Amino acid sequence: MESTTAGEALVIQFDAKALAPVALFKAEADIRYYLNGICVMPNKNGAGCFVVGCDGHRLAVWHDPDGVCTRMTVLKVSKELISASRKKAAKDGKVCFEDGRILLSDRNEQETFIQAGEAQIEVSETPGRLGYPDIWRVVPKASDLQPGGQGTINGRYIEAIGKR
């Protein structure tokens, strides 16, 4: 399912600490298959990349200022990969996409975990094109944020935040 643009290789690398919190917000067995993965997208307005989890109701966005992502990509991450990202060896490591596979590397760039099977991914140049939500339509600009509560929040969502 991977596509490339004019020979440009797909490069993805982000902090392993981002995976578990963001994956908590991805869908499980949703008919909208693209929500069952995490989305990694380049930061068009600066350095790094964004790692996003969304189940259609809840949204988690992690900015990794040192991350790299050449094109918006939805990665289907396994429970085993998420679990491995929580372990001590991955504490200061990276999640990488290399040679059609997703892996964890430690701070010395040694592979500590490789996700079994081929990585199922989709690639796009623009948000919303994969079917994955265009998060920038719902995430307010920092300059527009106001202090205090902004409305009611479903208690289940607050509970999910508490789990992280």
Side-chain angles (χ1 to χ4, degrees), residues 58-155:
R58 304 174 302 153
L59 172 71
V61 180
W62 182 295
H63 177 242
D64 181 352
D66 299 321
V68 178
C69 179
T70 54
R71 288 189 307 284
M72 181 176 167
T73 308
V74 176
L75 301 173
K76 307 289 183 173
V77 296
S78 68
K79 290 179 181 179
E80 294 81 11
L81 178 70
I82 295 165
S83 178
S85 75
R86 293 184 180 118
K87 297 194 185 314
K88 186 176 181 180
K91 182 179 177 189
D92 297 322
K94 301 282 184 194
V95 175
C96 306
F97 177 79
E98 293 179 4
D99 302 324
R101 60 194 181 137
I102 303 172
L103 59 95
L104 285 174
S105 62
D106 63 16
R107 71 181 104 190
N108 299 320
E109 298 185 13
Q110 298 295 314
E111 295 176 358
T112 60
F113 182 88
I114 301 171
Q115 181 168 287
E118 275 189 56
Q120 298 176 13
I121 64 170
E122 292 197 18
V123 180
S124 176
E125 298 296 328
T126 56
R129 189 146 175 247
L130 298 176
Y132 206 87
D134 182 357
I135 66 167
W136 307 121
R137 292 181 66 193
V138 297
V139 174
K141 294 178 184 171
S143 60
D144 294 342
L145 293 176
Q146 300 290 324
Q150 299 299 312
T152 60
I153 298 175
N154 187 317

Side-chain angles (χ1 to χ4, degrees), residues 2-69:
E2 178 183 352
S3 64
T4 58
T5 304
E8 180 186 339
L10 176 61
V11 178
I12 296 174
Q13 181 175 307
F14 60 90
D15 191 333
K17 288 186 264 259
L19 186 59
V22 167
L24 180 65
F25 290 82
K26 74 180 186 66
E28 297 292 332
D30 196 294
I31 192 165
R32 298 166 293 180
Y33 64 92
Y34 45 85
L35 294 180
N36 295 326
I38 61 165
C39 184
V40 185
M41 62 182 72
N43 181 0
K44 300 286 185 188
N45 300 317
C49 67
F50 294 98
V51 184
V52 182
C54 180
D55 66 3
H57 302 281
R58 304 174 302 153
L59 172 71
V61 180
W62 182 295
H63 177 242
D64 181 352
D66 299 321
V68 178
C69 179

